[in-house]
Amino acid sequence: MSAHGAPGVPGQVVAFPGRANGQVGFDRAELQRILDLYGRMVAAGQWRDYAMDFDKQAATFAAFRRTAERPQARVEKRPSLRNKQGMWTLFGEHGQILKRGHELASVLAPMERRLLKAVED
């Protein structure tokens, strides 16, 4: 096998076939923060399922109370808005914008407060 474009040659990087160029995603710290909240909401009985969607404009994490419903909460990372209102947006169950901002922690704060109320009940 020659080293000119042959797959499996040591040192050659081959793109994953399902991933589009320029796709927006979550970095490890962001995903850890989101999944930490998700895990605590599952433990509190608020959420049961999640979905992630990635495209060229945005990365989205949606949390569901039941799989067949629309998401109870949706966190969106849209880097094109970084210098405007902030690249993070938290959407409610009916699509309303609950919070926007430049920092993920401040955008997740309303869900953190909801978690505290659920634990107190």
Short mmCIF file of all heavy atoms in Angstrom, two decimals, residues 4-5 9 19 24-27 29-31 37 39-40 46 60 68 84 88 91 93 109 112 114:
data_model
loop_
_atom_site.label_atom_id
_atom_site.label_comp_id
_atom_site.label_asym_id
_atom_site.label_seq_id
_atom_site.Cartn_x
_atom_site.Cartn_y
_atom_site.Cartn_z
N HIS A 4 0.13 7.46 -0.41
CA HIS A 4 -0.55 8.56 -1.11
C HIS A 4 -2.05 8.39 -1.06
O HIS A 4 -2.67 7.90 -1.99
CB HIS A 4 -0.08 8.62 -2.57
CG HIS A 4 1.40 8.80 -2.72
ND1 HIS A 4 2.03 9.92 -2.26
CD2 HIS A 4 2.36 8.00 -3.22
CE1 HIS A 4 3.33 9.81 -2.50
NE2 HIS A 4 3.54 8.64 -3.09
N GLY A 5 -2.67 8.77 0.06
CA GLY A 5 -4.12 8.75 0.18
C GLY A 5 -4.72 7.40 0.52
O GLY A 5 -5.92 7.26 0.51
N VAL A 9 -3.05 4.22 6.67
CA VAL A 9 -1.61 4.41 6.71
C VAL A 9 -1.27 5.17 7.99
O VAL A 9 -1.90 6.17 8.30
CB VAL A 9 -1.13 5.20 5.46
CG1 VAL A 9 0.34 5.51 5.56
CG2 VAL A 9 -1.45 4.42 4.21
N ARG A 19 -19.33 13.86 9.78
CA ARG A 19 -19.17 15.20 10.34
C ARG A 19 -18.93 16.23 9.25
O ARG A 19 -18.03 16.10 8.43
CB ARG A 19 -18.00 15.21 11.32
CG ARG A 19 -17.86 16.57 11.94
CD ARG A 19 -16.99 16.56 13.12
NE ARG A 19 -16.90 17.95 13.56
CZ ARG A 19 -16.27 18.33 14.60
NH1 ARG A 19 -15.68 17.46 15.35
NH2 ARG A 19 -16.23 19.59 14.93
N VAL A 24 -20.56 23.34 14.52
CA VAL A 24 -20.45 23.87 15.88
C VAL A 24 -20.69 22.73 16.86
O VAL A 24 -21.56 21.88 16.65
CB VAL A 24 -21.50 24.98 16.12
CG1 VAL A 24 -21.45 25.48 17.55
CG2 VAL A 24 -21.28 26.13 15.15
N GLY A 25 -19.91 22.70 17.94
CA GLY A 25 -20.08 21.67 18.96
C GLY A 25 -19.80 22.24 20.34
O GLY A 25 -19.46 23.41 20.49
N PHE A 26 -19.98 21.40 21.34
CA PHE A 26 -19.66 21.79 22.72
C PHE A 26 -18.26 21.30 23.03
O PHE A 26 -17.87 20.21 22.63
CB PHE A 26 -20.63 21.11 23.70
CG PHE A 26 -22.07 21.48 23.49
CD1 PHE A 26 -22.98 20.52 23.07
CD2 PHE A 26 -22.51 22.76 23.72
CE1 PHE A 26 -24.31 20.83 22.90
CE2 PHE A 26 -23.85 23.09 23.53
CZ PHE A 26 -24.75 22.13 23.12
N ASP A 27 -17.48 22.11 23.76
CA ASP A 27 -16.19 21.60 24.21
C ASP A 27 -16.41 20.77 25.47
O ASP A 27 -17.53 20.70 26.01
CB ASP A 27 -15.16 22.71 24.40
CG ASP A 27 -15.49 23.68 25.54
OD1 ASP A 27 -16.10 23.26 26.54
OD2 ASP A 27 -15.10 24.85 25.42
N ALA A 29 -15.58 21.01 28.66
CA ALA A 29 -16.04 21.69 29.88
C ALA A 29 -17.51 22.10 29.77
O ALA A 29 -18.27 21.98 30.74
CB ALA A 29 -15.17 22.91 30.15
N GLU A 30 -17.91 22.59 28.60
CA GLU A 30 -19.31 22.98 28.41
C GLU A 30 -20.23 21.77 28.53
O GLU A 30 -21.25 21.82 29.22
CB GLU A 30 -19.48 23.62 27.03
CG GLU A 30 -18.75 24.93 26.87
CD GLU A 30 -18.61 25.37 25.43
OE1 GLU A 30 -18.87 24.57 24.51
OE2 GLU A 30 -18.21 26.54 25.23
N LEU A 31 -19.86 20.70 27.85
CA LEU A 31 -20.69 19.49 27.88
C LEU A 31 -20.73 18.90 29.29
O LEU A 31 -21.79 18.44 29.75
CB LEU A 31 -20.17 18.46 26.87
CG LEU A 31 -21.08 17.27 26.63
CD1 LEU A 31 -22.46 17.72 26.15
CD2 LEU A 31 -20.45 16.35 25.60
N LEU A 37 -25.83 19.17 35.13
CA LEU A 37 -27.18 19.65 35.42
C LEU A 37 -28.20 18.60 35.01
O LEU A 37 -29.14 18.32 35.76
CB LEU A 37 -27.45 20.97 34.69
CG LEU A 37 -28.88 21.49 34.79
CD1 LEU A 37 -29.25 21.80 36.24
CD2 LEU A 37 -29.07 22.71 33.91
N GLY A 39 -27.90 15.34 34.85
CA GLY A 39 -27.87 14.24 35.80
C GLY A 39 -28.59 14.57 37.09
O GLY A 39 -29.32 13.73 37.64
N ARG A 40 -28.41 15.78 37.57
CA ARG A 40 -29.09 16.19 38.80
C ARG A 40 -30.60 16.33 38.58
O ARG A 40 -31.39 15.99 39.46
CB ARG A 40 -28.49 17.48 39.34
CG ARG A 40 -27.08 17.21 39.90
CD ARG A 40 -26.45 18.42 40.54
NE ARG A 40 -26.07 19.36 39.49
CZ ARG A 40 -26.29 20.68 39.54
NH1 ARG A 40 -26.87 21.22 40.58
NH2 ARG A 40 -25.91 21.46 38.56
N GLN A 46 -37.10 15.20 37.24
CA GLN A 46 -37.61 16.22 36.33
C GLN A 46 -37.41 15.86 34.86
O GLN A 46 -38.25 16.18 34.03
CB GLN A 46 -36.93 17.57 36.62
CG GLN A 46 -37.22 18.11 37.99
CD GLN A 46 -38.66 18.50 38.16
OE1 GLN A 46 -39.21 19.21 37.33
NE2 GLN A 46 -39.29 18.02 39.21
N THR A 60 -27.03 22.30 19.92
CA THR A 60 -28.21 22.34 20.78
C THR A 60 -28.26 21.11 21.67
O THR A 60 -28.02 19.99 21.22
CB THR A 60 -29.50 22.40 19.93
OG1 THR A 60 -29.42 23.50 19.05
CG2 THR A 60 -30.73 22.54 20.80
N ALA A 68 -41.62 11.43 24.19
CA ALA A 68 -42.55 11.80 23.13
C ALA A 68 -42.96 13.27 23.15
O ALA A 68 -43.64 13.73 22.24
CB ALA A 68 -43.80 10.92 23.22
N LYS A 84 -22.61 39.91 20.16
CA LYS A 84 -23.85 40.66 20.28
C LYS A 84 -24.48 40.41 21.63
O LYS A 84 -24.07 40.96 22.63
CB LYS A 84 -24.79 40.29 19.13
CG LYS A 84 -24.21 40.69 17.78
CD LYS A 84 -25.09 40.28 16.65
CE LYS A 84 -24.40 40.68 15.35
NZ LYS A 84 -25.03 40.09 14.19
N TRP A 88 -24.87 31.97 24.16
CA TRP A 88 -25.67 30.98 24.87
C TRP A 88 -27.10 31.45 25.02
O TRP A 88 -27.35 32.59 25.37
CB TRP A 88 -25.08 30.71 26.25
CG TRP A 88 -23.74 30.07 26.18
CD1 TRP A 88 -22.54 30.69 26.33
CD2 TRP A 88 -23.47 28.70 25.92
NE1 TRP A 88 -21.53 29.76 26.18
CE2 TRP A 88 -22.08 28.54 25.92
CE3 TRP A 88 -24.27 27.59 25.67
CZ2 TRP A 88 -21.47 27.32 25.70
CZ3 TRP A 88 -23.66 26.37 25.45
CH2 TRP A 88 -22.28 26.24 25.46
N PHE A 91 -33.86 28.11 26.18
CA PHE A 91 -35.24 28.17 25.74
C PHE A 91 -36.11 27.35 26.68
O PHE A 91 -35.68 26.28 27.14
CB PHE A 91 -35.38 27.59 24.32
CG PHE A 91 -34.70 28.40 23.26
CD1 PHE A 91 -33.41 28.11 22.87
CD2 PHE A 91 -35.36 29.45 22.65
CE1 PHE A 91 -32.78 28.85 21.89
CE2 PHE A 91 -34.74 30.19 21.66
CZ PHE A 91 -33.45 29.90 21.29
N GLU A 93 -40.03 25.42 27.53
CA GLU A 93 -40.79 24.33 26.91
C GLU A 93 -41.58 24.78 25.69
O GLU A 93 -41.76 24.03 24.74
CB GLU A 93 -41.74 23.73 27.95
CG GLU A 93 -42.43 22.49 27.48
CD GLU A 93 -43.18 21.79 28.59
OE1 GLU A 93 -43.17 22.26 29.75
OE2 GLU A 93 -43.78 20.74 28.29
N ALA A 109 -28.49 29.20 35.08
CA ALA A 109 -28.94 29.56 36.43
C ALA A 109 -30.44 29.36 36.65
O ALA A 109 -30.83 28.85 37.71
CB ALA A 109 -28.53 30.99 36.77
N GLU A 112 -30.96 25.78 37.36
CA GLU A 112 -30.38 25.44 38.66
C GLU A 112 -31.36 25.81 39.77
O GLU A 112 -31.55 25.05 40.72
CB GLU A 112 -29.05 26.17 38.87
CG GLU A 112 -27.97 25.86 37.86
CD GLU A 112 -27.14 24.66 38.24
OE1 GLU A 112 -27.29 24.15 39.36
OE2 GLU A 112 -26.35 24.23 37.39
N ARG A 114 -34.61 26.04 39.47
CA ARG A 114 -35.73 25.10 39.36
C ARG A 114 -35.37 23.78 40.05
O ARG A 114 -36.21 23.16 40.69
CB ARG A 114 -36.07 24.84 37.90
CG ARG A 114 -37.28 23.96 37.74
CD ARG A 114 -37.62 23.72 36.30
NE ARG A 114 -38.06 24.94 35.66
CZ ARG A 114 -38.41 25.01 34.38
NH1 ARG A 114 -38.35 23.94 33.61
NH2 ARG A 114 -38.81 26.15 33.87
#
